[in-house]
Amino acid sequence: MTDITILGLGDMGAALAATLLDKGHSVTVWNRTAAKADPLRGKGAAVARRVDEAVRASPVVIACLLDYAAFTDAFAEAEYVLRGKTLVNLTSGVPRQAREFAAHFEALGVAYVDGGILAVPAMIGGPGSLVLYAGDRQAFETALPLLEALGTARFMGEDAGLAALYDIALLSGMYGLFGGALHASALIHNAGNSVVSFMPMLQEWLSAMGGTLPAMAESIDANDHDQRGGSNLAMQATGLDTMVAASREHGVDPAFLLPMQALMRRHVEQGHGREDVSGLVRQLMTI
Ligand code: FVH
């Protein structure tokens, strides 16, 4: 028997297994393409040839596969072996899938914990690595000494969909930041300037604007978008028109700005031009 089994040795699964081995845990691994297990065998992992063999080897099983379809494929004839085990599913999915899996595995006598990894493989086990968990609290707490080897382990609640929900929300914020930074960089680069010199200015600006987010959160929770900060939406919509025009004049596709411009225009046309930017959230919430 080993402490833990890792199913899936893609970039992330291999990083999870290597980190657990480095931190002194005994690990069994399995991957559909068997050759990916070779480097881990060299680090001391036990390599299973089949999923059922891998699951039998440990009380705690982490699955880190491409998506839920890959998970279903991998377990096609091996689910029954999970009875009595803790399954920690770090495969990305939507909250509904996590809840469906939780109900399905609970019925099979499996303690199910869903997870969302907020780190890239190179960060696993380091100080910046955060993994969100949700589902069976007791199973999470029992597995915690193993899970903490991967990074900060935060339990979001017994609703198994919560880890995926917060994971997707945090990643959505990240892609907004990346999109904005890419657009800004294209403007600077196309005008013949150094993006490397520009980036500290952008970081400083984004840090300052990040400070406005708690007030935005309060407005959204209270559903009160009265403008307080001196930057009404009608003014900002006109400013975005200028930004879109300037981007085109500099040969930069405004693709990242256009959805924001459209949301602002619609909100202003509906009579909310005096609101704060927080009011735009009402354009996004379709239910
Ligand atoms: N890598 C990252 O930066 C992110 C960070 C945040 C969390 N994600 C999620 O982690 C899951 C795995 O991601 P990954 O980076 O390991 O992905 P790949 O390197 O592409 O490896 C995919 C593994 O899935 C196996 N697989 C795919 N299809 C099947 C299938 N039908 N049956 C069995 N296994 C399957 C694949 O096997 P193979 O191709 O090597 O045989 C890999 O082991 C993912 O949910 C991310 O969203 C990572």
Side-chain angles (χ1 to χ4, degrees), residues 9-12 31-33 36 64-66 70 73 92 117 119 121:
L9 300 174
D11 293 330
M12 184 52 84
N31 195 60
R32 179 181 62 175
T33 307
K36 287 191 186 168
C64 188
L65 298 159
L66 183 62
D73 272 0
S92 301
I117 304 173

Side-chain angles (χ1 to χ4, degrees), residues 133 138-154:
Y133 298 94
Q138 199 185 329
F140 166 77
E141 285 171 0
T142 306
L144 193 53
L146 291 163
L147 302 179
E148 277 177 332
L150 306 175
T152 302
R154 186 179 294 188

Side-chain angles (χ1 to χ4, degrees), residues 109-183:
V110 181
Y112 183 82
V113 179
D114 202 82
I117 304 173
L118 287 152
V120 296
M123 291 163 67
I124 294 299
S129 169
L130 169 66
V131 187
L132 308 180
Y133 298 94
D136 189 317
R137 183 185 295 274
Q138 199 185 329
F140 166 77
E141 285 171 0
T142 306
L144 193 53
L146 291 163
L147 302 179
E148 277 177 332
L150 306 175
T152 302
R154 186 179 294 188
F155 190 72
M156 303 306 296
E158 290 179 359
D159 168 356
L162 284 177
L165 177 68
Y166 278 80
D167 183 36
I168 288 164
L170 290 165
L171 290 173
S172 303
M174 178 192 79
Y175 279 114
L177 179 113
F178 284 172
L182 288 168
H183 182 92

